[in-house]
Amino acid sequence: MNKITEMLLKILTGFKEEFVGAYNIRENGRCAARQSSPNIRIAVKTDEPGLDIHIDSRARGETVYIPACVTQGGVDDLVYNDFYVDAGADVTIVAGCGVHTDGAEDAAHNGIHRFFLENGSRIIYREKHVGTGNGSGLKRIDPVTFAVLGPGSALEMDTVQLGGVDRTVRTTSAQLAAAARLTIRERIQTDGRDTARTDFTVSMDGDGSAVNLISRSVARGSSRQTYRSKLIGNCRCSGHSECDAILMDRGRVDAFPELIAGCRDASLIHEAAIGRIAGEQIVKLRTLGLSEGEAERRIIEGFLGGAAPM
Amino acid sequence: MNKITEMLLKILTGFKEEFVGAYNIRENGRCAARQSSPNIRIAVKTDEPGLDIHIDSRARGETVYIPACVTQGGVDDLVYNDFYVDAGADVTIVAGCGVHTDGAEDAAHNGIHRFFLENGSRIIYREKHVGTGNGSGLKRIDPVTFAVLGPGSALEMDTVQLGGVDRTVRTTSAQLAAAARLTIRERIQTDGRDTARTDFTVSMDGDGSAVNLISRSVARGSSRQTYRSKLIGNCRCSGHSECDAILMDRGRVDAFPELIAGCRDASLIHEAAIGRIAGEQIVKLRTLGLSEGEAERRIIEGFLGGAAPM
C-alpha cells in the first residue's frame, strides 16, 4: 500500500504496522491486503465490487478491520460490503474512510454497508471519515448503511467525521425486531464550504425494541449541515433521538427530526438544540487561565466526546 | 341568536347574557350582534366576508369578543378577520368557534385571522374550538392564523380544541421583528375517527426576538394527529418548541418539527415526547383511592393544563 494510505490508516484505525485477525484494506478501489480469521470469513463478491463478511457464532471479542482509502483525485470508488452476523456472535468492526487529493480532480468514496444481525448477536461498529490533501478537487464520502436487527440483537454504531470532507450525504436505515437495540453516536465536523447531510430512518417493528440516536455536530466557516431523522414506532418500543449542534463563524445547521407513533405502546422522544457556545462557558474557562481559543477548543472537545477536533 | 349559539357561546367564552365592551358574534355566516368600544373599532369588510378590528394605542386591559358559531349542517362559513393593533395597546381577544350539526350535512368554519402588532403592543389571544350535535355530517374547523409582530411587541396565543371536531387543519405562521415575543400554547383533544393537523411556521427576523411554542395533545379512539413546526432563526434570537402527546386506545400522533438555524447567534431548541400515560402514574393515583378511569382523567387534566377533557 502507498504512503498516503498508511497515513490515512493511522488516522482512521490507529494502524501501526499490521492488523491482527481479520481485515481487508481497500486502496483506490482495489484490495491492498486481506486476511480472514477462523471465525470471520471475508469473501470477495462475484457480482459487484465489495465483500461478504461472515461472522460465525463462535466469534467473541474479535475485531475485524475494513478501512477504505482513496489517495488521489479522479477516483470515484463504489463498494458494497455485507455483514452476515450469526446468532450469538459478539464482534467489533472497525471501518473508516479517508479521501485524499492533491489535484483538481475529485476523490470520492461510496460505501454501501448492509448488516444482518441474527438472534442475540452484538456488533460494535466504529467508523471515522477524514479528507486530506491540498488539491482543489472535492473530497466526498457518501456512506449508505442498512441494518436488519434480529430478535434480541444489538448494534452500536460510533461514527465520526473528523474534517476535510467537502461533501457528504450519510444515509442510515434500520429495522428492529423484538428486543433489538440500536445505538448510534454520530459526530460531524465541517468547515470552509463543506456540506454534510445525515439522514436516519429507524423502524421499530418488534415489541421491546429500542433505539438511541445521538448526533452532535460543529459547523465552522461557511459550512452547512442538515440533520434528518425518522423514528417509527409500530409496537411496544422506545425511541430517543437527539441532535445537538454548535454554530461557529457563519456555520449553519438545520434539523428535521420526525416521530411517527403508530401504536399506543410506542414511546418516542426527540430533543434538538442548535446554537453557539454559551458565552458564560467561555468566560468560566478564561478565568481558569485559558485563552479564548483554547477555551473554545476544550468545550468542543467535550461536546464531541473526545473526537479530535480539526 | 338561536339556542344552539347560546349553548356554544357558554362553552367557548363563558357567555351568560351579554358581553361587555367590544364584540362581534357570528352565527351561520352572519352577524348576530356587534358593538365597538371607544378604543376598539370593529368595521365590516367591504371586499370579503369578515371584520377589520382596529385597536387603538389607548386600549389597555380591554377584552374584545369575536366568537363564531355554525349551528346546522350545510353551512361552510368562511371569514377573514384582520386585527390592527396600534403601538402600546394591551388587549385580550377572546375568539372561539363552535360547529354543530344534527343532520347528515357537514358544518364547517374557516376563520382566517391576521394580526398586525405595532411597536410594543401586547395581545393575549384565547381561542376554544368545539364540535357538538349528533348528526352524521362532519364538524370541521380549519383556522389559518398569520401574525406580523413589530419591534418589541408580544403575542400570546392560548388555543384549545375541546373535542367533537371531526376534521381540523390548523395553520399558523408568524414573523417577528426585533425584541418581539410570541408564545403559543396549544391543546388538542381528538377521539373516534377525528383527524387533526397543526402546522406552525415562525420566522425570527429581528435581533432579540423569541418564540416559545408548546403543543400538548391527547389522541383517543382511532383518532390521528399530525404536528408540524418550523422555527427559523435568521438573527440573534431564541426559539423553543415542544410537542407532547398522550396516546390512548388506538390513537396516533406523528411529529415533524424543524429547526432552521441560519445565523450563528440563533439558539433553537425542540423537544417532543409521544407515548401512553406512564403505568406508575396510574398506580400512584390508585393507591390514593382513585379508580383507573378517574386516575387517567386527572392525569390528562393536568397534562392539558386545565382544559376540560371531553
PDB file of all heavy atoms in Angstrom, chain B residues 278-308:
ATOM      1  N   ALA B 278     -47.791   6.951  31.692  1.00  0.00           N
ATOM      2  CA  ALA B 278     -46.894   6.031  32.394  1.00  0.00           C
ATOM      3  C   ALA B 278     -47.682   5.212  33.424  1.00  0.00           C
ATOM      4  O   ALA B 278     -48.464   5.761  34.197  1.00  0.00           O
ATOM      5  CB  ALA B 278     -45.781   6.819  33.079  1.00  0.00           C
ATOM      6  N   GLY B 279     -47.469   3.895  33.401  1.00  0.00           N
ATOM      7  CA  GLY B 279     -48.188   2.996  34.303  1.00  0.00           C
ATOM      8  C   GLY B 279     -48.037   3.386  35.764  1.00  0.00           C
ATOM      9  O   GLY B 279     -49.005   3.360  36.535  1.00  0.00           O
ATOM     10  N   GLU B 280     -46.832   3.840  36.140  1.00  0.00           N
ATOM     11  CA  GLU B 280     -46.597   4.161  37.555  1.00  0.00           C
ATOM     12  C   GLU B 280     -47.433   5.356  38.024  1.00  0.00           C
ATOM     13  O   GLU B 280     -47.799   5.445  39.191  1.00  0.00           O
ATOM     14  CB  GLU B 280     -45.102   4.379  37.850  1.00  0.00           C
ATOM     15  CG  GLU B 280     -44.425   5.463  37.042  1.00  0.00           C
ATOM     16  CD  GLU B 280     -43.731   4.897  35.804  1.00  0.00           C
ATOM     17  OE1 GLU B 280     -44.256   3.943  35.187  1.00  0.00           O
ATOM     18  OE2 GLU B 280     -42.665   5.418  35.453  1.00  0.00           O
ATOM     19  N   GLN B 281     -47.744   6.259  37.090  1.00  0.00           N
ATOM     20  CA  GLN B 281     -48.594   7.401  37.453  1.00  0.00           C
ATOM     21  C   GLN B 281     -49.996   6.924  37.841  1.00  0.00           C
ATOM     22  O   GLN B 281     -50.586   7.400  38.793  1.00  0.00           O
ATOM     23  CB  GLN B 281     -48.699   8.383  36.288  1.00  0.00           C
ATOM     24  CG  GLN B 281     -47.455   9.236  36.103  1.00  0.00           C
ATOM     25  CD  GLN B 281     -47.721  10.381  35.127  1.00  0.00           C
ATOM     26  OE1 GLN B 281     -48.845  10.851  35.000  1.00  0.00           O
ATOM     27  NE2 GLN B 281     -46.684  10.830  34.452  1.00  0.00           N
ATOM     28  N   ILE B 282     -50.516   5.988  37.053  1.00  0.00           N
ATOM     29  CA  ILE B 282     -51.851   5.418  37.328  1.00  0.00           C
ATOM     30  C   ILE B 282     -51.828   4.700  38.682  1.00  0.00           C
ATOM     31  O   ILE B 282     -52.690   4.908  39.541  1.00  0.00           O
ATOM     32  CB  ILE B 282     -52.255   4.410  36.219  1.00  0.00           C
ATOM     33  CG1 ILE B 282     -52.306   5.095  34.847  1.00  0.00           C
ATOM     34  CG2 ILE B 282     -53.562   3.712  36.573  1.00  0.00           C
ATOM     35  CD1 ILE B 282     -53.607   5.697  34.449  1.00  0.00           C
ATOM     36  N   VAL B 283     -50.801   3.884  38.868  1.00  0.00           N
ATOM     37  CA  VAL B 283     -50.693   3.099  40.109  1.00  0.00           C
ATOM     38  C   VAL B 283     -50.666   4.026  41.319  1.00  0.00           C
ATOM     39  O   VAL B 283     -51.362   3.816  42.315  1.00  0.00           O
ATOM     40  CB  VAL B 283     -49.417   2.218  40.076  1.00  0.00           C
ATOM     41  CG1 VAL B 283     -49.149   1.596  41.444  1.00  0.00           C
ATOM     42  CG2 VAL B 283     -49.549   1.139  39.008  1.00  0.00           C
ATOM     43  N   LYS B 284     -49.881   5.111  41.207  1.00  0.00           N
ATOM     44  CA  LYS B 284     -49.755   6.053  42.318  1.00  0.00           C
ATOM     45  C   LYS B 284     -51.112   6.643  42.693  1.00  0.00           C
ATOM     46  O   LYS B 284     -51.483   6.693  43.873  1.00  0.00           O
ATOM     47  CB  LYS B 284     -48.776   7.164  41.903  1.00  0.00           C
ATOM     48  CG  LYS B 284     -48.351   8.048  43.049  1.00  0.00           C
ATOM     49  CD  LYS B 284     -47.313   9.052  42.593  1.00  0.00           C
ATOM     50  CE  LYS B 284     -47.160  10.154  43.622  1.00  0.00           C
ATOM     51  NZ  LYS B 284     -46.341  11.255  43.103  1.00  0.00           N
ATOM     52  N   LEU B 285     -51.861   7.080  41.685  1.00  0.00           N
ATOM     53  CA  LEU B 285     -53.164   7.683  41.970  1.00  0.00           C
ATOM     54  C   LEU B 285     -54.168   6.638  42.471  1.00  0.00           C
ATOM     55  O   LEU B 285     -55.046   6.955  43.264  1.00  0.00           O
ATOM     56  CB  LEU B 285     -53.702   8.408  40.729  1.00  0.00           C
ATOM     57  CG  LEU B 285     -52.975   9.721  40.405  1.00  0.00           C
ATOM     58  CD1 LEU B 285     -53.432  10.275  39.071  1.00  0.00           C
ATOM     59  CD2 LEU B 285     -53.214  10.763  41.493  1.00  0.00           C
ATOM     60  N   ARG B 286     -54.038   5.395  42.025  1.00  0.00           N
ATOM     61  CA  ARG B 286     -54.947   4.344  42.500  1.00  0.00           C
ATOM     62  C   ARG B 286     -54.677   4.040  43.969  1.00  0.00           C
ATOM     63  O   ARG B 286     -55.607   3.762  44.727  1.00  0.00           O
ATOM     64  CB  ARG B 286     -54.806   3.082  41.656  1.00  0.00           C
ATOM     65  CG  ARG B 286     -55.338   3.306  40.246  1.00  0.00           C
ATOM     66  CD  ARG B 286     -55.609   2.014  39.534  1.00  0.00           C
ATOM     67  NE  ARG B 286     -56.712   1.282  40.170  1.00  0.00           N
ATOM     68  CZ  ARG B 286     -57.163   0.123  39.752  1.00  0.00           C
ATOM     69  NH1 ARG B 286     -56.609  -0.468  38.720  1.00  0.00           N
ATOM     70  NH2 ARG B 286     -58.164  -0.483  40.362  1.00  0.00           N
ATOM     71  N   THR B 287     -53.418   4.133  44.377  1.00  0.00           N
ATOM     72  CA  THR B 287     -53.121   3.900  45.801  1.00  0.00           C
ATOM     73  C   THR B 287     -53.728   5.012  46.653  1.00  0.00           C
ATOM     74  O   THR B 287     -53.935   4.851  47.845  1.00  0.00           O
ATOM     75  CB  THR B 287     -51.601   3.857  46.081  1.00  0.00           C
ATOM     76  OG1 THR B 287     -51.035   5.103  45.686  1.00  0.00           O
ATOM     77  CG2 THR B 287     -50.922   2.726  45.347  1.00  0.00           C
ATOM     78  N   LEU B 288     -54.022   6.153  46.020  1.00  0.00           N
ATOM     79  CA  LEU B 288     -54.690   7.244  46.749  1.00  0.00           C
ATOM     80  C   LEU B 288     -56.215   7.076  46.727  1.00  0.00           C
ATOM     81  O   LEU B 288     -56.942   7.948  47.181  1.00  0.00           O
ATOM     82  CB  LEU B 288     -54.305   8.597  46.135  1.00  0.00           C
ATOM     83  CG  LEU B 288     -52.806   8.942  46.189  1.00  0.00           C
ATOM     84  CD1 LEU B 288     -52.520  10.213  45.402  1.00  0.00           C
ATOM     85  CD2 LEU B 288     -52.325   9.094  47.625  1.00  0.00           C
ATOM     86  N   GLY B 289     -56.690   5.987  46.149  1.00  0.00           N
ATOM     87  CA  GLY B 289     -58.116   5.691  46.210  1.00  0.00           C
ATOM     88  C   GLY B 289     -58.906   5.975  44.942  1.00  0.00           C
ATOM     89  O   GLY B 289     -60.111   5.778  44.889  1.00  0.00           O
ATOM     90  N   LEU B 290     -58.233   6.445  43.897  1.00  0.00           N
ATOM     91  CA  LEU B 290     -58.944   6.736  42.653  1.00  0.00           C
ATOM     92  C   LEU B 290     -59.109   5.458  41.823  1.00  0.00           C
ATOM     93  O   LEU B 290     -58.266   4.565  41.876  1.00  0.00           O
ATOM     94  CB  LEU B 290     -58.173   7.762  41.817  1.00  0.00           C
ATOM     95  CG  LEU B 290     -58.434   9.241  42.123  1.00  0.00           C
ATOM     96  CD1 LEU B 290     -57.982   9.598  43.521  1.00  0.00           C
ATOM     97  CD2 LEU B 290     -57.723  10.132  41.099  1.00  0.00           C
ATOM     98  N   SER B 291     -60.203   5.393  41.057  1.00  0.00           N
ATOM     99  CA  SER B 291     -60.357   4.288  40.103  1.00  0.00           C
ATOM    100  C   SER B 291     -59.399   4.535  38.946  1.00  0.00           C
ATOM    101  O   SER B 291     -58.885   5.642  38.784  1.00  0.00           O
ATOM    102  CB  SER B 291     -61.794   4.233  39.573  1.00  0.00           C
ATOM    103  OG  SER B 291     -62.014   5.328  38.696  1.00  0.00           O
ATOM    104  N   GLU B 292     -59.191   3.525  38.119  1.00  0.00           N
ATOM    105  CA  GLU B 292     -58.278   3.684  36.989  1.00  0.00           C
ATOM    106  C   GLU B 292     -58.750   4.803  36.067  1.00  0.00           C
ATOM    107  O   GLU B 292     -57.963   5.634  35.614  1.00  0.00           O
ATOM    108  CB  GLU B 292     -58.146   2.371  36.218  1.00  0.00           C
ATOM    109  CG  GLU B 292     -57.116   2.500  35.101  1.00  0.00           C
ATOM    110  CD  GLU B 292     -56.625   1.157  34.564  1.00  0.00           C
ATOM    111  OE1 GLU B 292     -56.793   0.131  35.245  1.00  0.00           O
ATOM    112  OE2 GLU B 292     -56.065   1.158  33.456  1.00  0.00           O
ATOM    113  N   GLY B 293     -60.065   4.823  35.827  1.00  0.00           N
ATOM    114  CA  GLY B 293     -60.642   5.854  34.952  1.00  0.00           C
ATOM    115  C   GLY B 293     -60.441   7.255  35.519  1.00  0.00           C
ATOM    116  O   GLY B 293     -60.081   8.191  34.798  1.00  0.00           O
ATOM    117  N   GLU B 294     -60.691   7.391  36.828  1.00  0.00           N
ATOM    118  CA  GLU B 294     -60.507   8.703  37.468  1.00  0.00           C
ATOM    119  C   GLU B 294     -59.043   9.134  37.423  1.00  0.00           C
ATOM    120  O   GLU B 294     -58.729  10.298  37.170  1.00  0.00           O
ATOM    121  CB  GLU B 294     -60.967   8.649  38.933  1.00  0.00           C
ATOM    122  CG  GLU B 294     -62.476   8.633  39.117  1.00  0.00           C
ATOM    123  CD  GLU B 294     -62.886   8.228  40.545  1.00  0.00           C
ATOM    124  OE1 GLU B 294     -62.012   7.742  41.307  1.00  0.00           O
ATOM    125  OE2 GLU B 294     -64.066   8.386  40.878  1.00  0.00           O
ATOM    126  N   ALA B 295     -58.167   8.172  37.690  1.00  0.00           N
ATOM    127  CA  ALA B 295     -56.734   8.474  37.682  1.00  0.00           C
ATOM    128  C   ALA B 295     -56.325   8.994  36.312  1.00  0.00           C
ATOM    129  O   ALA B 295     -55.650  10.025  36.192  1.00  0.00           O
ATOM    130  CB  ALA B 295     -55.927   7.217  38.041  1.00  0.00           C
ATOM    131  N   GLU B 296     -56.787   8.302  35.276  1.00  0.00           N
ATOM    132  CA  GLU B 296     -56.482   8.681  33.901  1.00  0.00           C
ATOM    133  C   GLU B 296     -56.991  10.090  33.608  1.00  0.00           C
ATOM    134  O   GLU B 296     -56.291  10.914  33.021  1.00  0.00           O
ATOM    135  CB  GLU B 296     -57.168   7.682  32.964  1.00  0.00           C
ATOM    136  CG  GLU B 296     -56.379   7.342  31.745  1.00  0.00           C
ATOM    137  CD  GLU B 296     -57.002   6.153  31.023  1.00  0.00           C
ATOM    138  OE1 GLU B 296     -58.110   6.306  30.453  1.00  0.00           O
ATOM    139  OE2 GLU B 296     -56.384   5.079  31.047  1.00  0.00           O
ATOM    140  N   ARG B 297     -58.214  10.371  34.066  1.00  0.00           N
ATOM    141  CA  ARG B 297     -58.832  11.673  33.821  1.00  0.00           C
ATOM    142  C   ARG B 297     -58.016  12.781  34.489  1.00  0.00           C
ATOM    143  O   ARG B 297     -57.746  13.822  33.899  1.00  0.00           O
ATOM    144  CB  ARG B 297     -60.274  11.672  34.350  1.00  0.00           C
ATOM    145  CG  ARG B 297     -61.191  12.698  33.690  1.00  0.00           C
ATOM    146  CD  ARG B 297     -62.621  12.525  34.157  1.00  0.00           C
ATOM    147  NE  ARG B 297     -62.734  12.612  35.611  1.00  0.00           N
ATOM    148  CZ  ARG B 297     -62.753  13.752  36.301  1.00  0.00           C
ATOM    149  NH1 ARG B 297     -62.674  14.898  35.663  1.00  0.00           N
ATOM    150  NH2 ARG B 297     -62.858  13.736  37.616  1.00  0.00           N
ATOM    151  N   ARG B 298     -57.593  12.539  35.723  1.00  0.00           N
ATOM    152  CA  ARG B 298     -56.797  13.530  36.456  1.00  0.00           C
ATOM    153  C   ARG B 298     -55.469  13.818  35.759  1.00  0.00           C
ATOM    154  O   ARG B 298     -55.025  14.961  35.664  1.00  0.00           O
ATOM    155  CB  ARG B 298     -56.483  13.025  37.878  1.00  0.00           C
ATOM    156  CG  ARG B 298     -57.654  12.982  38.806  1.00  0.00           C
ATOM    157  CD  ARG B 298     -58.059  14.369  39.281  1.00  0.00           C
ATOM    158  NE  ARG B 298     -59.160  14.255  40.228  1.00  0.00           N
ATOM    159  CZ  ARG B 298     -59.010  14.078  41.549  1.00  0.00           C
ATOM    160  NH1 ARG B 298     -57.799  14.040  42.073  1.00  0.00           N
ATOM    161  NH2 ARG B 298     -60.055  13.957  42.337  1.00  0.00           N
ATOM    162  N   ILE B 299     -54.835  12.746  35.307  1.00  0.00           N
ATOM    163  CA  ILE B 299     -53.522  12.902  34.663  1.00  0.00           C
ATOM    164  C   ILE B 299     -53.663  13.731  33.394  1.00  0.00           C
ATOM    165  O   ILE B 299     -52.884  14.648  33.137  1.00  0.00           O
ATOM    166  CB  ILE B 299     -52.906  11.513  34.367  1.00  0.00           C
ATOM    167  CG1 ILE B 299     -52.509  10.837  35.681  1.00  0.00           C
ATOM    168  CG2 ILE B 299     -51.696  11.639  33.434  1.00  0.00           C
ATOM    169  CD1 ILE B 299     -52.230   9.358  35.574  1.00  0.00           C
ATOM    170  N   ILE B 300     -54.715  13.441  32.634  1.00  0.00           N
ATOM    171  CA  ILE B 300     -54.909  14.168  31.371  1.00  0.00           C
ATOM    172  C   ILE B 300     -55.289  15.616  31.634  1.00  0.00           C
ATOM    173  O   ILE B 300     -54.822  16.527  30.947  1.00  0.00           O
ATOM    174  CB  ILE B 300     -55.935  13.425  30.501  1.00  0.00           C
ATOM    175  CG1 ILE B 300     -55.258  12.163  29.984  1.00  0.00           C
ATOM    176  CG2 ILE B 300     -56.434  14.310  29.361  1.00  0.00           C
ATOM    177  CD1 ILE B 300     -56.093  11.319  29.105  1.00  0.00           C
ATOM    178  N   GLU B 301     -56.112  15.827  32.653  1.00  0.00           N
ATOM    179  CA  GLU B 301     -56.467  17.195  33.056  1.00  0.00           C
ATOM    180  C   GLU B 301     -55.205  18.000  33.356  1.00  0.00           C
ATOM    181  O   GLU B 301     -55.039  19.131  32.895  1.00  0.00           O
ATOM    182  CB  GLU B 301     -57.331  17.162  34.318  1.00  0.00           C
ATOM    183  CG  GLU B 301     -58.713  17.759  34.135  1.00  0.00           C
ATOM    184  CD  GLU B 301     -59.525  17.587  35.415  1.00  0.00           C
ATOM    185  OE1 GLU B 301     -59.017  17.954  36.501  1.00  0.00           O
ATOM    186  OE2 GLU B 301     -60.638  17.059  35.315  1.00  0.00           O
ATOM    187  N   GLY B 302     -54.321  17.399  34.137  1.00  0.00           N
ATOM    188  CA  GLY B 302     -53.072  18.068  34.483  1.00  0.00           C
ATOM    189  C   GLY B 302     -52.220  18.326  33.254  1.00  0.00           C
ATOM    190  O   GLY B 302     -51.688  19.413  33.063  1.00  0.00           O
ATOM    191  N   PHE B 303     -52.143  17.321  32.384  1.00  0.00           N
ATOM    192  CA  PHE B 303     -51.339  17.404  31.162  1.00  0.00           C
ATOM    193  C   PHE B 303     -51.822  18.539  30.268  1.00  0.00           C
ATOM    194  O   PHE B 303     -51.038  19.280  29.685  1.00  0.00           O
ATOM    195  CB  PHE B 303     -51.422  16.060  30.433  1.00  0.00           C
ATOM    196  CG  PHE B 303     -50.713  16.013  29.110  1.00  0.00           C
ATOM    197  CD1 PHE B 303     -49.328  16.016  29.045  1.00  0.00           C
ATOM    198  CD2 PHE B 303     -51.435  15.946  27.933  1.00  0.00           C
ATOM    199  CE1 PHE B 303     -48.680  15.955  27.822  1.00  0.00           C
ATOM    200  CE2 PHE B 303     -50.795  15.887  26.702  1.00  0.00           C
ATOM    201  CZ  PHE B 303     -49.422  15.894  26.649  1.00  0.00           C
ATOM    202  N   LEU B 304     -53.142  18.673  30.189  1.00  0.00           N
ATOM    203  CA  LEU B 304     -53.715  19.714  29.315  1.00  0.00           C
ATOM    204  C   LEU B 304     -53.861  21.046  30.042  1.00  0.00           C
ATOM    205  O   LEU B 304     -54.409  22.000  29.486  1.00  0.00           O
ATOM    206  CB  LEU B 304     -55.073  19.259  28.773  1.00  0.00           C
ATOM    207  CG  LEU B 304     -55.040  18.076  27.800  1.00  0.00           C
ATOM    208  CD1 LEU B 304     -56.449  17.625  27.450  1.00  0.00           C
ATOM    209  CD2 LEU B 304     -54.262  18.419  26.537  1.00  0.00           C
ATOM    210  N   GLY B 305     -53.369  21.110  31.262  1.00  0.00           N
ATOM    211  CA  GLY B 305     -53.360  22.381  31.986  1.00  0.00           C
ATOM    212  C   GLY B 305     -54.735  22.944  32.229  1.00  0.00           C
ATOM    213  O   GLY B 305     -54.970  24.144  32.081  1.00  0.00           O
ATOM    214  N   GLY B 306     -55.668  22.068  32.573  1.00  0.00           N
ATOM    215  CA  GLY B 306     -56.985  22.550  32.987  1.00  0.00           C
ATOM    216  C   GLY B 306     -58.018  22.650  31.884  1.00  0.00           C
ATOM    217  O   GLY B 306     -59.166  22.956  32.145  1.00  0.00           O
ATOM    218  N   ALA B 307     -57.618  22.395  30.619  1.00  0.00           N
ATOM    219  CA  ALA B 307     -58.631  22.388  29.557  1.00  0.00           C
ATOM    220  C   ALA B 307     -59.574  21.225  29.842  1.00  0.00           C
ATOM    221  O   ALA B 307     -59.132  20.100  30.018  1.00  0.00           O
ATOM    222  CB  ALA B 307     -57.968  22.208  28.203  1.00  0.00           C
ATOM    223  N   ALA B 308     -60.868  21.509  29.918  1.00  0.00           N
ATOM    224  CA  ALA B 308     -61.827  20.472  30.287  1.00  0.00           C
ATOM    225  C   ALA B 308     -61.744  19.300  29.332  1.00  0.00           C
ATOM    226  O   ALA B 308     -61.848  19.480  28.129  1.00  0.00           O
ATOM    227  CB  ALA B 308     -63.240  21.055  30.262  1.00  0.00           C
TER     228      ALA B 308
END
